[in-house]
Amino acid sequence: MTGFQADAERLRAKAAEFEGFAERARLIAADLEWALEATGEAWGTDTPGQSFAASHAAPAAETRALVRGLSARLGAWGTKFSVAAGEYTGADAAAAEELNG
């Protein structure tokens, strides 16, 4: 068979799983934030710690921001997949009606 195929029901079911993924990512981000905040100066205040911080603090902050935003992105992807499944089902039904009508 050639052409485009989609299993809209499967896509819809898998899209619903993204809500759980988003919640899991939110919890991981919260745990990470807590662990880093609870330790205070994570790199240490001595000379080696400050030297390490000079090279790694900025990339670590960027990573923390990405992890914080992951939950929202996963939720948005789930919504997009769900919408795509609905649009595919609607287009398929409209095409069938057009052919049979």
Side-chain angles (χ1 to χ4, degrees):
M1 176 173 238
T2 62
F4 179 78
Q5 281 186 285
D7 184 341
E9 291 307 313
R10 185 171 179 216
L11 180 58
R12 187 176 287 110
K14 293 298 181 181
E17 293 179 13
F18 275 79
E19 191 171 313
F21 298 151
E23 176 62 13
R24 194 165 155 202
R26 188 193 65 72
L27 293 172
I28 290 169
D31 286 348
L32 176 63
E33 290 290 328
W34 178 85
L36 292 173
E37 296 300 322
T39 60
E41 187 69 35
W43 316 111
T45 57
D46 59 1
T47 302
Q50 293 305 305
S51 176
F52 187 85
S55 297
H56 295 85
E62 291 172 21
T63 301
R64 286 170 71 181
L66 289 171
V67 170
R68 270 188 238 116
L70 182 58
S71 178
R73 287 192 305 277
L74 286 169
W77 290 339
T79 299
K80 288 179 182 180
F81 288 145
S82 182
V83 167
E87 289 177 353
Y88 180 81
T89 300
D92 194 43
E97 185 177 315
E98 177 85 20
L99 290 172
N100 295 326

